[in-house]
Amino acid sequence: MVTNVVVRRVARVILIDERQRILLFRALLGRGERWIMPGGGVEQGETHRQAALRELREETGITDAVLGPCVWRRRFHFQHEGATYDQRERYFVSRTTPQAIDIGAWDAEERRIFQEWRWWLLPQIESASDHFEPSRLAALALAIVNGMYPPRPLAVGE
């Protein structure tokens, strides 16, 4: 039996505050509970950069974000509600001052999926038993947090 595969383009933001913490959301996904970065699907007619800013605004209330470069790309397959997805993500860097996160614009699905949000230091991620996406987040983010960006987006795996 041939299964239809849905290609899903996604933009995510590596949001870093002045204390070098990364904002993550604990999400209940089809592949289990994971800490993920703000972001979501690219809508029709939108660029990845536009989607990243829109998703960041919707999920955090941050309206003045400035996106830096796209530093990572990630591709993986998963099953959700009987469909197979080929998810293709791009990760953009943005820096911010510490501020409260406003979840007032979350829709019903985001309220169902997102369990909490938290700012994480890299050593906390490294020592946690939780699951993070991408899976090698602490190691991958070290250069990014320190302002060293690759000349082209790196493929970061699952």
Side-chain angles (χ1 to χ4, degrees), residues 47-68:
T47 66
H48 280 86
R49 292 183 77 80
Q50 291 167 332
L53 288 170
R54 176 185 49 76
E55 288 286 344
L56 187 63
R57 183 179 61 253
E58 290 173 2
E59 293 178 359
T60 68
I62 295 172
T63 59
D64 60 351
V66 175
L67 286 187

Side-chain angles (χ1 to χ4, degrees), residues 19-60:
R19 293 178 47 200
Q20 295 189 319
R21 299 178 302 174
I22 296 175
L23 179 68
L24 299 171
F25 293 102
R26 185 170 58 89
L28 293 176
L29 304 169
R31 54 200 179 278
E33 186 176 286
R34 303 275 190 265
W35 286 93
I36 64 173
M37 291 172 215
V42 177
E43 295 179 355
Q44 184 71 27
E46 228 178 12
T47 66
H48 280 86
R49 292 183 77 80
Q50 291 167 332
L53 288 170
R54 176 185 49 76
E55 288 286 344
L56 187 63
R57 183 179 61 253
E58 290 173 2
E59 293 178 359
T60 68

